[in-house]
Amino acid sequence: MNRDLGDYRKSYQKQELVEGNVSDNPMELFQKWFHEVDSNYDVDETNAMTISTIGLDGFPKGRVVLLKKYTYEGFIFYTNYESEKGRAILANPNVCLSFFWPSAERQIIIKGKAEKIAENLSDGYFESRPRGSQLGAVVSNQSQIIKDRSVLETRLKELEQQYEGKEIPRPEFWGGFIVKPVEIEFWQGRPNRLHDRLRYLLDEDYNWQLDRLSP
């Protein structure tokens, strides 16, 4: 197999990112960009983001998850705490989140520290999920090897019968993480590959310092 992709090229020229037009707080710029992309561009899941962790085997690994809430404090998503991802985060909370919205020619790259959110917050979100998603969280021993798909289907049928007409409690192994950012970079595609890169860095006094990075 040998395929040369060197002729895959695109000219970036939709927007610009300049210091005079951004907030002092990167979370406000994140909210602005998220709203603009969600409202004006054809993106299936604006909240899809890649989270990269350092695994227990020492290798970095990225996978796509869904952002479920963001505040001035950070970015919240939900997962199985006993999954490969969950165990990696609990062992090393330093993670990276990245959003890529190609139709807007924008990226956001976030370095931060992840920690579990309060149990009552995980309870509240779990209760809001569709019943099928609740059952799916209970069924799956995420990241564990299984013989075949029938293992999941059989377990799902058993749980459907067990919880028929009943509330499904949140399993203790499932809940939310919040990623509290220490660095956020906003990337806007520009012509001639001279892209705009603005980086917010949290200093020791918890103030955000803004710098422009060379592309």
Side-chain angles (χ1 to χ4, degrees):
M1 181 184 296
N2 184 2
R3 185 180 180 188
D4 186 354
L5 304 178
D7 61 348
Y8 274 42
R9 302 188 185 282
K10 176 181 178 179
S11 177
Y12 298 93
Q13 52 193 6
K14 291 184 177 180
Q15 304 277 349
E16 65 177 11
L17 181 60
V18 294
E19 291 85 338
N21 294 334
V22 299
S23 170
D24 292 335
N25 190 305
M27 297 305 295
E28 294 177 1
L29 181 55
F30 177 87
Q31 178 172 258
K32 179 177 183 291
W33 271 28
F34 190 94
H35 175 74
E36 288 176 353
V37 171
D38 201 40
S39 301
N40 302 317
Y41 294 92
D42 184 18
V43 176
D44 285 338
E45 292 181 302
T46 310
N47 62 328
M49 62 183 185
T50 298
I51 178 168
S52 298
T53 59
I54 301 298
L56 301 182
D57 58 2
F59 283 87
K61 184 173 183 178
R63 76 288 279 167
V64 176
V65 300
L66 297 178
L67 176 68
K68 289 302 180 180
K69 186 176 183 179
Y70 61 89
T71 68
Y72 276 106
E73 189 176 18
F75 305 85
I76 295 175
F77 69 96
Y78 294 85
T79 190
N80 185 315
Y81 292 138
E82 297 177 358
S83 66
E84 180 183 18
K85 171 183 354 89
R87 288 184 291 115
I89 292 172
L90 293 174
N92 184 345
N94 297 329
V95 303
C96 182
L97 307 176
S98 62
F99 294 83
F100 179 44
W101 299 310
S103 58
E105 301 174 354
R106 288 175 172 175
Q107 296 184 69
I108 302 177
I109 303 169
I110 301 153
K111 293 180 183 179
K113 294 184 178 294
E115 61 185 55
K116 288 183 179 180
I117 64 173
E119 290 189 4
N120 66 309
L121 297 179
S122 290
D123 288 339
Y125 177 71
F126 187 82
E127 291 171 4
S128 74
R129 302 183 89 201
R131 192 171 180 84
S133 297
Q134 292 178 336
L135 288 170
V138 181
V139 165
S140 176
N141 294 322
Q142 192 175 344
S143 304
Q144 299 300 309
I145 295 173
I146 57 175
K147 180 180 178 181
D148 54 40
R149 186 172 178 82
S150 67
V151 174
L152 301 176
E153 301 291 354
T154 299
R155 179 63 174 150
L156 177 60
K157 290 179 181 179
E158 293 172 351
L159 289 172
E160 286 175 337
Q161 295 175 357
Q162 178 181 343
Y163 289 110
E164 185 176 1
K166 303 176 184 177
E167 287 189 6
I168 304 168
R170 176 183 66 87
E172 292 184 1
F173 57 76
W174 190 97
F177 281 110
I178 182 170
V179 177
K180 298 181 178 181
V182 297
E183 178 181 316
I184 304 182
E185 178 185 330
F186 295 84
W187 182 99
Q188 178 68 63
R190 297 296 303 275
N192 304 314
R193 297 297 188 266
L194 296 178
H195 310 305
D196 287 328
R197 296 175 61 190
L198 295 186
R199 182 191 65 188
Y200 291 82
L201 192 63
L202 193 64
D203 66 21
E204 59 185 14
D205 295 320
Y206 298 98
N207 296 312
W208 289 104
Q209 303 299 318
L210 178 61
D211 295 296
R212 174 173 288 270
L213 304 180
S214 173

